[in-house]
Amino acid sequence: MQIEIDHKSGFCFGVVNAIKKAEETLDKSGKLYCLGDIVHNGMEVERLEELGLITIDREIFFTLKNCQVLLRAHGEPPSTYEYAKANNIELIDATCPVVLKLQQRVKKAAQEMNKKNGQIILFGKKGHAEVVSLDGQTDNKAIIVENKDDLSEVDPEKPAYLFSQTTKSLEKFNEIAAELKQNSKQEITIKDTICRQVANRVPRMKEFANQHDVIVFVGGKKSSNAQFLFEVCKQSNPNSHFISNPDELNPNWFSSENSVGICGATSTPQWLMEIVAGQIKKYETSDT
């Protein structure tokens, strides 16, 4: 059996940076709150929690005082920073630079649209942390669009800016943009703000999936990026399987003649893919 881990899979820069900041802070203090899961991967979250990371939600955050809180790569709306400043909370800000720049662009566009009675449209997943952070730049007045049906909320008589959550599908963004331009009677400014570190994984994932008999995709169940990239694999290779940890592997997926490819999302740690590879190797030498 041949087993290959995709060397282009795994953490993106934003996630690497957030985890590094968490580890550095925990090494000094032994305790750090994190607003939301630092990464959408349960096993990586568990590893960091063993080091002293405490994952909290927004409700708990707005009760805290005099402590340190990590802001993950997804970013946060202005209200988070305002509360922290008023309550002596030291923020360890690990917002991804790509997201940070996008926040600034959305804020500037929102100010322009306010003067023109226009609209800000965000293509993204409703309730996703990054989308919440972007919507906050508009005083929570943006129109969140997940699919073409949501475009009914857009007023065709008003000018608009269209932005995208950084981890969305480029193909679907272009479909939304085309539909929007076709229906609008006013100027629509299209801003492709999809992170190319994520978008470029799509052709790579297709190529990798086609190179192997069996694909094992390792990702967190909460990760929209993982769900999206797995579907890319599945379309290229129907013999693809989604797992979140090695316990979910099924020996019946493999035979000694198989070429097995292991890949993952931008939130999948390299060490986890290596453990999965090790487990699959054991099937080859066992009777199962």
Side-chain angles (χ1 to χ4, degrees):
M1 191 189 304
Q2 290 183 315
I3 301 171
E4 180 187 5
I5 298 175
D6 179 21
H7 67 279
K8 293 187 178 179
S9 279
F11 289 158
C12 63
F13 168 79
V15 172
V16 170
N17 181 54
I19 289 173
K20 182 181 177 184
K21 286 192 174 186
E23 289 174 333
E24 288 173 351
T25 306
L26 288 167
D27 191 47
K28 294 174 186 174
S29 65
K31 177 183 176 181
L32 175 65
Y33 292 106
C34 180
L35 185 45
D37 287 339
I38 189 170
V39 61
H40 292 310
N41 186 282
M43 294 191 72
E44 180 66 5
V45 170
E46 285 177 18
R47 182 185 75 83
L48 290 167
E49 285 178 345
E50 286 175 4
L51 298 178
L53 191 72
I54 302 168
T55 304
I56 58 171
D57 58 22
R58 292 182 63 77
E59 188 176 348
I60 292 175
F61 172 77
F62 285 106
T63 66
L64 296 178
K65 297 179 189 297
N66 311 316
C67 60
Q68 289 181 311
V69 177
L70 178 82
L71 303 186
R72 55 193 175 162
H74 300 84
E76 281 292 320
S79 57
T80 300
Y81 294 87
E82 292 162 6
Y83 181 83
K85 187 175 181 181
N87 291 276
N88 194 34
I89 295 174
E90 180 189 349
L91 294 178
I92 312 299
D93 197 343
T95 302
C96 173
V98 176
V99 175
L100 194 59
K101 184 177 179 181
L102 175 52
Q103 288 178 347
Q104 293 164 352
R105 293 174 71 183
V106 169
K107 184 175 182 177
K108 185 177 178 181
Q111 291 169 345
E112 181 186 332
M113 287 296 96
N114 283 340
K115 294 174 184 176
K116 297 180 178 179
N117 190 31
Q119 310 158 97
I120 298 294
I121 305 161
L122 298 176
F123 173 54
K125 184 178 179 181
K126 294 173 183 175
H128 188 281
E130 183 188 323
V131 174
V132 172
S133 83
L134 297 174
D135 193 18
Q137 311 305 317
T138 74
D139 291 329
N140 301 314
K141 294 176 182 176
I143 299 168
I144 314 300
V145 172
E146 288 191 344
N147 51 54
K148 289 182 180 180
D149 292 341
D150 292 331
L151 290 174
S152 61
E153 298 176 35
V154 177
D155 188 341
E157 302 291 343
K158 293 182 178 181
Y161 269 84
L162 171 67
F163 294 92
S164 176
Q165 178 183 331
T166 58
T167 53
K168 295 300 284 182
S169 159
L170 182 57
E171 182 183 358
K172 290 183 179 177
F173 173 78
N174 288 332
E175 289 175 7
I176 292 291
E179 184 97 0
L180 196 59
K181 290 185 84 168
Q182 182 179 339
N183 296 335
S184 180
K185 297 175 183 176
Q186 294 291 329
E187 182 182 4
I188 301 290
T189 304
I190 307 296
K191 295 293 186 182
D192 172 3
T193 52
I194 292 168
C195 176
R196 288 311 187 261
Q197 240 197 47
V198 176
N200 290 343
R201 293 198 181 193
V202 173
R204 166 60 187 173
M205 207 59 81
K206 290 178 180 177
E207 177 188 13
F208 186 76
N210 283 322
Q211 290 172 350
H212 299 281
D213 302 317
V214 184
I215 290 293
V216 177
F217 187 95
V218 187
K221 290 183 170 64
K222 292 182 182 179
S223 170
S224 54
N225 174 252
Q227 299 292 342
F228 166 58
L229 289 177
F230 173 67
E231 285 305 316
V232 171
C233 286
K234 191 83 171 172
Q235 287 170 13
S236 297
N237 185 340
N239 198 17
S240 296
H241 306 277
F242 188 114
I243 67 166
S244 293
N245 64 67
D247 295 339
E248 295 173 3
L249 286 166
N250 185 337
N252 296 326
W253 294 342
F254 314 102
S255 72
S256 58
E257 298 83 27
N258 283 157
S259 167
V260 180
I262 300 170
C263 52
T266 55
S267 54
T268 304
Q270 181 73 22
W271 61 262
L272 182 54
M273 289 188 284
E274 289 171 358
I275 289 175
V276 169
Q279 182 61 45
I280 295 171
K281 284 177 184 174
K282 290 179 182 177
Y283 296 145
E284 191 175 25
T285 56
S286 70
D287 295 328
T288 51

